[in-house]
Amino acid sequence: GAVVSQHPSWVICKSGTSVKIECRSLDFQATTMFWYRQFPKQSLMLMATSNEGSKATYEQGVEKDKFLINHASLTLSTLTVTSAHPEDSSFYICSVGGGGQPQHFGDGTRLSIL
Amino acid sequence: AQSVSQHNHHVILSEAASLELGCNYSYGGTVNLFWYVQYPGQHLQLLLKYFSGDPLVKGIKGFEAEFIKSKFSFNLRKPSVQWSDTAEYFCAVTPDSGGGADGLTFGKGTHLIIQP
């Protein structure tokens, strides 16, 4: 299955800072990647679908200006949390796959906003 | 939109006990179904999947699940659990969109603890 690498694994930053999270597909060319968010002791919630070479598709209730997604190549998608605030603190996870294949997940990024 | 319900949030079993975790979904069309496991400190891993065909699917580590279309269910089973099965288990569904890529809708998860 696909190997997915996320970076960084943990980031702590001050309120108002923008934070970029990278998701790389190491052995699979992915036209589509997915970004999820997981609050403590809760399930994963799909935030958006990242589409290579075009705009991301956001789920209802997810602010596209807050969570900027760029999918410039078949192996890299980035999620930028702009002007992060404490309520944005969460666990962010990307995945690769779909389209008749199971999704494979990265290790996630724990974001803590002070 | 689809939704997934996992009935058991916390399950505690002794080693060698049999396991069944409930999962029901809500969606008006054809779906693909998954069970993922998350061991402490690790990323989500696929246990098994159902796309079509035999509704009884076998996965890794002795797990199996049965898709019962009439009940909109996809329960996970294992006849004899081990201490190493302690983990968080997530049921997930995605519409069967004929090859298109769709994100997963997850259940809230079941925290399984196996006592030695």
Side-chain angles (χ1 to χ4, degrees):
Chain A
V3 178
V4 182
S5 172
Q6 254 184 268
H7 178 81
S9 57
W10 199 352
V11 58
I12 302 173
C13 59
K14 293 181 179 179
S15 185
T17 308
S18 292
V19 178
K20 180 186 283 188
I21 303 169
E22 292 186 348
C23 178
R24 292 183 184 274
S25 176
L26 300 183
D27 61 351
F28 179 76
Q29 292 193 317
T31 55
T32 304
M33 294 185 182
F34 302 94
W35 287 96
Y36 295 85
R37 183 174 179 175
Q38 186 178 27
F39 289 104
K41 300 187 185 301
Q42 295 191 29
S43 187
L44 286 80
M45 299 291 291
L46 177 66
M47 297 176 65
T49 302
S50 174
N51 304 301
E52 188 267 335
S54 64
K55 291 182 179 179
T57 307
Y58 290 81
E59 296 299 301
Q60 194 172 13
V62 178
E63 299 175 59
K64 59 181 69 175
D65 295 330
K66 175 77 170 175
F67 299 100
L68 299 179
I69 291 172
N70 183 276
H71 193 154
S73 76
L74 290 171
T75 59
L76 174 65
S77 174
T78 61
L79 169 69
T80 301
V81 184
T82 61
S83 186
H85 289 95
E87 59 266 28
D88 299 322
S89 297
S90 190
F91 195 56
Y92 293 87
I93 308 170
C94 72
S95 74
V96 171
Q101 297 296 325
Q103 292 183 23
H104 298 272
F105 290 83
D107 286 338
T109 297
R110 187 164 302 284
L111 175 62
S112 298
I113 308 299
L114 304 178
Chain B
Q2 61 272 21
S3 65
V4 179
S5 174
Q6 288 182 241
H7 315 302
N8 318 99
H9 298 300
H10 296 277
V11 173
I12 302 175
L13 295 172
S14 298
E15 278 194 311
S18 64
L19 169 72
E20 181 160 0
L21 301 182
C23 173
N24 285 89
Y25 70 92
S26 172
Y27 184 67
T30 307
V31 295
N32 297 323
L33 295 154
F34 307 84
W35 276 97
Y36 282 88
V37 60
Q38 189 172 30
Y39 297 104
Q42 297 188 27
H43 62 266
L44 284 164
Q45 299 174 37
L46 180 69
L47 268 182
L48 47 77
K49 62 185 186 293
Y50 173 80
F51 284 176
S52 65
D54 189 343
L56 182 62
V57 292
K58 295 191 183 298
I60 61 171
K61 304 185 181 187
F63 286 91
E64 65 178 32
E66 184 175 12
F67 171 48
I68 302 179
K69 190 175 181 180
S70 61
K71 295 184 178 180
F72 297 89
S73 70
F74 190 57
N75 292 355
L76 181 71
R77 299 193 292 251
K78 184 171 184 177
S80 177
V81 294
Q82 301 171 306
W83 176 79
S84 57
D85 293 324
T86 294
E88 192 84 20
Y89 291 80
F90 294 96
C91 181
V93 64
T94 188
D96 182 5
S97 53
D102 293 285
L104 292 167
T105 299
F106 284 86
K108 291 187 182 298
T110 297
H111 188 199
L112 175 65
I113 297 174
I114 306 300
Q115 296 176 329

